[in-house]
Amino acid sequence: MNRSDLSRILFASAATATVVGAVSGAERLHRAAKPLMVPALIVGLPTPASMLGGALVAATVGDVLLIDPDDDSRILRGAAAFAVMQTVYCELLRRRGGRPTPINALPRLLGWAAAAAALVFKSPAVAPGLSGYGLTVATMSTLAADPSLAPGAKTVAGVVVPSSNPRSRLAVGGMLFTLSDALIVVRRLFADKDSHRHVLEGLILATYALAQLFLVEGLSGE
């Protein structure tokens, strides 16, 4: 078994346990498994001590801080850690030729503006920090959607169709990260029942896990 296969097995196990723990309310399982997801991806990197490896270390710090998604102080510190990760992702995408295009940037900026406005009205204490982080996510997702990152990949209406080529999954990874963070806002502002919050937390973590997998494999495929 090579490092890449081992990484995928460890990642799938940690991600599954994390999502199950969140949905079922099994706090011990959730707390034990979540910090292991991203380090499992580091195992599979060709060069762990790299920019991408550093970004994943920042993501791990964010994961630990966000184990309790209802603590405002931890949320803001976690968002700062993830902003570091997203900034590195943006730079790596830029180096690989990713560029913003109006058709990709506009819907992401509109989504970011809507989420930022909702936070200002309903959760002003965390609005500046989360809105600032949201802008880094929108930027990363816009760059990841550039079809030039996956030369030869099939596109439909300018959107890259995922295939066996890891680079073709960068766009999906960016969109899933955007969806995951949008669900965080929905959970925080609109979910008032524990059962709904548990289900939303599971969806947040599932989309986040897939986003990380697609982005890391796409960015490490050089």
Side-chain angles (χ1 to χ4, degrees):
M1 181 184 298
N2 59 35
R3 284 173 53 187
S4 180
D5 291 336
L6 175 61
S7 173
R8 289 191 184 98
I9 291 171
L10 293 173
F11 176 77
S13 300
T16 300
T18 301
V19 173
V20 169
V23 173
S24 65
E27 275 298 307
R28 289 186 179 181
L29 177 61
H30 179 216
R31 289 177 177 273
K34 188 178 181 184
L36 301 178
M37 286 196 299
V38 173
L41 293 175
I42 296 175
V43 170
L45 294 182
T47 309
S50 61
M51 280 184 68
L52 183 55
L56 295 179
V57 170
T60 302
V61 173
D63 279 342
V64 172
L65 288 168
L66 292 177
I67 285 177
D68 181 357
D70 298 312
D71 183 319
D72 284 0
S73 175
R74 293 176 70 90
I75 284 174
L76 292 174
R77 285 182 287 155
F82 277 113
V84 172
M85 178 207 72
Q86 297 290 6
T87 300
V88 175
Y89 281 2
C90 287
E91 175 60 15
L92 291 172
L93 289 164
R94 187 194 67 80
R95 291 185 181 188
R96 284 156 176 74
R99 296 294 184 269
T101 60
I103 194 171
N104 289 324
L106 183 59
R108 288 164 174 82
L109 288 175
L110 289 175
W112 166 77
L119 285 167
V120 167
F121 283 106
K122 301 201 69 169
S123 196
V126 298
L130 294 187
S131 297
Y133 164 67
L135 193 56
T136 68
V137 178
T139 302
M140 180 279 294
S141 183
T142 299
L143 293 174
D146 186 351
S148 69
L149 290 169
K154 182 180 179 180
T155 61
V156 175
V159 178
V160 178
V161 177
S163 67
S164 59
N165 178 2
R167 281 188 162 216
S168 71
R169 298 192 287 270
L170 284 168
V172 176
M175 287 188 285
L176 285 171
F177 230 121
T178 303
L179 174 59
S180 181
D181 286 348
L183 289 172
I184 290 175
V185 175
V186 171
R187 180 188 182 279
R188 180 178 182 86
L189 301 185
F190 304 109
D192 52 4
K193 293 183 179 180
D194 284 344
S195 59
H196 295 168
R197 295 170 73 81
H198 287 321
V199 170
L200 281 169
E201 187 65 15
L203 289 173
I204 289 164
L205 291 167
T207 50
Y208 165 73
L210 281 174
Q212 288 285 33
L213 178 65
F214 291 159
L215 288 166
V216 170
E217 290 192 343
L219 288 169
S220 64
E222 287 288 278

